[in-house]
Structures are given as C-alpha cells and as structure tokens.
Amino acid sequence: MTKRADGGFGCSSRDDAAPDVGLDALGGWVLDVGALVAFARSDMFVSALVASCRRRGQTVLICDTSLAVAVQAVPEQHDRLVKLCQEPNTWLAKLAAADNDAVAALLPAASGDIGLAHVVYEAARRGYAVLSDRRASVLAIDGSLLVEAA
C-alpha cells in the first residue's frame, strides 16, 4: 500500500491479467469493507480465512472502493491493511472505466452503494465467494454468490 498525493492509500494492482489465468484459476474471496475493517482489527475468523487462502493459493481480492472506506474507518490499523495488500495472493481490483456500466447497473439494487456494487460485480465476474458483514445485501443483488458473514 502506498500513500497517494491526495492523501489516500492504495495497493499495487494486479488486474492486468485476464480473470481466467494466474491466481484466479484457483478461486478466491472478495473482502468487502466490513471484512477489511474486521481484518484490520485482528478478527480471528477473517484472519483465519485470509491465512487459509494464502495456504491454498487462493486469491484475496480487495476492491479499491472498499479499501478506501476501510482505511478511513480504521486509520489507526492501516498497517495491517498494508501488510494484507503486500501479500502475494492479494489483488486490488480498481474500478476501471470498462466496468463502469456493469457496476452502475447494480447500483439500484445496492441502494446506491458503489462499494457494494463493485464487490458484487467482481465476485460474480470471477466466480469468487464474498466475505461481508452485509450478507443479505449482497445476496439481494446476486443470489447466486457464495457469501460468508464477516
């Protein structure tokens, strides 16, 4: 995670690979804001899931929209988020212009929450599970996703 000129933080992006190659082939989990905050606060369940992904070679995907909110929510714990972003199996999904229409289409079901819409979009397009404190909201947008409560 690096500090940007605007004062925000960001991970390096690994989205330059196609979704069906590299670490994506082994599957993974998308962590939403609640899961990132829980990880930053050393929640045992979320930390164990991340460790399990690391051992199994699965991807931990973090949407940049979720990361920005999580860093603001727990600035005193930002070092744990930095370490998570530095793990080799952690990917940062940037909300790219090419994805805007698809994410925007999910906004009404997400009650206008761009972060939630972005998480659902990335999980659905990659076939990943979601770790979220808003399980019902995720499933209301896409009932086909595997969602575990954070």
Side-chain angles (χ1 to χ4, degrees):
M1 182 179 287
T2 57
K3 188 162 185 172
R4 298 186 314 248
D6 66 1
F9 293 91
C11 300
S12 60
S13 175
R14 295 187 181 105
D15 259 0
D16 46 343
D20 59 346
V21 298
L23 292 175
D24 271 341
L26 299 174
W29 288 79
V30 180
L31 277 58
D32 81 345
V33 173
L36 290 169
V37 168
F39 179 85
R41 291 180 174 157
S42 301
D43 178 86
M44 288 183 60
F45 176 73
V46 178
S47 297
L49 186 130
V50 168
S52 176
C53 285
R54 188 179 311 119
R55 282 191 307 274
R56 300 169 82 194
Q58 292 182 312
T59 300
V60 173
L61 189 136
I62 300 171
C63 294
D64 62 349
T65 50
S66 297
L67 180 62
V69 175
V71 167
Q72 288 178 355
V74 287
E76 69 284 358
Q77 299 294 331
H78 116 276
D79 288 349
R80 280 195 45 89
L81 294 173
V82 168
K83 288 179 183 177
L84 177 61
C85 286
Q86 293 172 338
E87 292 290 330
N89 65 320
T90 301
W91 290 17
L92 179 69
K94 294 181 180 178
L95 184 55
D99 303 324
N100 284 348
D101 289 342
V103 173
L106 299 174
L107 282 174
S111 301
D113 184 335
I114 189 111
L116 180 60
H118 190 195
V119 163
V120 170
Y121 168 74
E122 290 295 342
R125 83 178 187 120
R126 296 171 187 269
Y128 284 7
V130 177
L131 188 61
S132 174
D133 62 341
R134 300 180 287 176
R135 185 176 189 276
S137 297
V138 171
L139 290 173
I141 299 168
D142 187 337
S144 70
L145 294 175
L146 171 64
V147 184
E148 184 65 46

